[in-house]
Amino acid sequence: MMNQQETAAGACPLAELEAFADSSTDAGAMFVAKPAAQWIREAAARPNPVKLWMELWYEGEVACLFADTNVGKSIYAMQIGRAIAEHRPVLYFDFEMSDKQLQMRYTDPATGVMAHFPEQFYRVEFAKTAGALADLKSIIAQIQIKVDHYKASVVIIDNISWICNRAECGDAAGELMQMLIDLKRRRNLSILVLAHTPKRNVASPLNQNSLAGSKRIANFMDSMFAIGLSKTNRPAGRYIKQIKVRSSEMLYGETNVITGEMVKRGADLQIEHQGFANERDLLDEPDADDIAREETREEIRRRVAEGQSYRSISAELKVSSKTIRNSLRNNE
């Protein structure tokens, strides 16, 4: 039984909770419940998701494309956006390049001819009059304003790391993703966010742990795909790997990645798809030191999961506390 003091301190008696629940109408309810069969029948009456870019990104999804620096994620994202903009408006929020860098990248140096960009492909950057800092809510509000103005249904953000750093939040990535998902639902959008990989062993396969922020970002994504370097055609060789998918089968996973080559033909810069391969055949061979370090990291994770203390692990494996923390952080 609650006493008067507990009630006065803010506790809510069961009777009050029941009264509140009884007064809630369907219009203001937080949850909607239906028989599972009804959910399926209603969903079946709507069209299946439309492919925006192969089986890597579907309409209505929040997707993530990630890669290391200078591997070509912005080039590939531009390539995707330009293709989609032939049929519908696309907003490309470019927080990486200046307009001059864009012009030079997509101009034929021999003739001065510029690459074709569809009229419905809109590039967006921060205004020169914008303040030095902006909070996440303000950034999302401004994105929404542009979406409404151009009646866009597709948004590409290049890249999420830049926005989070600008907002100066300790764990801004998760908060930003929640806001983007809310915006997607309210405006019926398809969103592709670009992200980078932290320093990683290029001889290792790409996976969710290769993404900066790892599970804090990955858990929010409907689909994820990444670009890696291929040893078979240096320096232009690339491959695209499907990391996460919800709207179809996993078609381009580790044993069937999309192979490609970074090419510039005249003014047009893109990653040309060439075929398919096993990712293992495209990676450098790991050296003995890399193998030993990864084995140590795996052993650290196993022992921590079993409840062994950092001090004990440090003494038995002869590693520092920093090494233990880094091993766990890379696996978040």
Side-chain angles (χ1 to χ4, degrees):
M1 291 286 292
M2 290 184 182
N3 57 37
Q4 293 180 346
Q5 185 177 6
E6 289 173 326
T7 303
C12 187
L14 179 59
E16 292 184 23
L17 286 173
E18 291 175 342
F20 175 78
D22 290 340
S23 67
S24 296
T25 64
D26 289 341
M30 181 179 294
F31 302 112
V32 178
K34 304 175 188 176
Q38 182 179 345
W39 285 111
I40 294 173
R41 285 195 301 270
E42 292 175 357
R46 300 193 300 270
N48 290 335
V50 174
K51 296 178 188 177
L52 291 175
W53 188 250
M54 305 175 63
E55 289 82 5
L56 299 173
W57 182 24
Y58 282 79
E59 191 175 63
E61 287 188 341
V62 176
C64 179
L65 166 62
F66 64 91
D68 202 353
T69 304
N70 293 327
V71 171
K73 59 181 176 291
S74 294
I75 292 169
Y76 197 54
M78 280 271 183
Q79 181 178 337
I80 293 171
R82 290 165 65 191
I84 296 172
E86 296 287 357
H87 309 286
R88 65 181 78 187
V90 173
L91 287 180
Y92 190 105
F93 288 83
D94 190 350
F95 305 132
E96 288 287 304
M97 292 192 299
S98 67
D99 56 353
K100 187 63 181 178
Q101 290 168 334
L102 178 75
Q103 175 259 314
M104 294 175 65
R105 175 173 284 186
Y106 290 98
T107 300
D108 185 342
T111 64
V113 174
M114 293 181 291
H116 167 70
F117 279 80
E119 287 299 316
Q120 294 189 105
F121 185 92
Y122 300 98
R123 177 182 174 273
V124 186
E125 67 175 25
F126 269 103
K128 293 180 174 61
T129 55
L133 297 175
D135 60 80
L136 292 179
K137 289 183 179 179
S138 298
I139 293 173
I140 296 298
Q142 291 298 314
I143 290 175
Q144 179 176 311
I145 289 171
K146 292 300 182 188
V147 165
D148 292 343
H149 178 79
Y150 290 101
K151 297 179 171 58
S153 61
V154 177
V155 172
I156 300 175
I157 298 176
D158 186 3
N159 68 56
I160 189 175
S161 306
W162 195 95
I163 294 180
C164 291
N165 289 339
R166 184 181 180 92
E168 292 194 338
C169 295
D171 188 21
E175 184 181 357
L176 174 61
M177 287 310 307
Q178 292 181 53
M179 292 181 181
L180 286 175
I181 290 170
D182 179 63
L183 177 62
K184 180 205 80 166
R185 290 171 176 164
R186 287 187 286 105
R187 291 298 188 269
N188 195 27
L189 300 177
S190 306
I191 300 176
L192 176 66
V193 297
L194 276 59
H196 71 273
T197 62
K199 186 176 180 180
R200 59 180 291 273
N201 180 3
V202 294
S204 298
L206 288 161
N207 55 44
Q208 288 191 15
N209 293 332
S210 305
L211 172 64
S214 191
K215 291 183 180 178
R216 287 193 295 271
I217 297 176
N219 288 343
F220 291 102
M221 299 297 174
D222 296 304
S223 59
M224 298 171 63
F225 53 107
I227 306 173
L229 293 172
S230 171
K231 71 175 183 182
T232 61
N233 184 18
R234 287 180 170 152
R238 302 288 190 275
Y239 69 89
I240 295 97
K241 181 180 182 181
Q242 200 169 27
I243 305 295
K244 182 179 180 180
V245 59
R246 284 180 175 166
S247 297
S248 70
E249 296 181 26
M250 177 76 74
L251 297 180
Y252 311 114
E254 186 171 356
T255 60
N256 192 49
V257 299
I258 303 166
T259 59
E261 182 179 6
M262 182 77 70
V263 297
K264 185 169 185 179
R265 304 190 189 283
D268 206 18
L269 180 63
Q270 61 180 319
I271 297 177
E272 287 188 352
H273 295 177
Q274 295 178 328
F276 307 94
N278 190 308
E279 184 183 18
R280 290 287 181 181
D281 297 333
L282 308 178
L283 299 174
D284 288 328
E285 294 296 327
D287 59 32
D289 289 341
D290 289 333
I291 294 173
R293 279 192 291 269
E294 183 56 34
E295 288 177 347
T296 299
R297 285 193 288 266
E298 288 297 327
E299 181 64 14
I300 289 171
R301 293 164 191 158
R302 183 186 68 79
R303 292 183 180 222
V304 170
E306 291 177 352
Q308 189 171 345
S309 69
Y310 282 21
R311 178 176 297 180
S312 175
I313 295 172
S314 178
E316 293 180 14
L317 297 183
K318 295 180 172 54
V319 295
S320 66
S321 296
K322 181 179 179 181
T323 297
I324 297 173
R325 290 194 299 272
N326 288 340
S327 297
L328 298 175
R329 186 178 301 116
N330 291 337
N331 198 44
E332 288 180 344

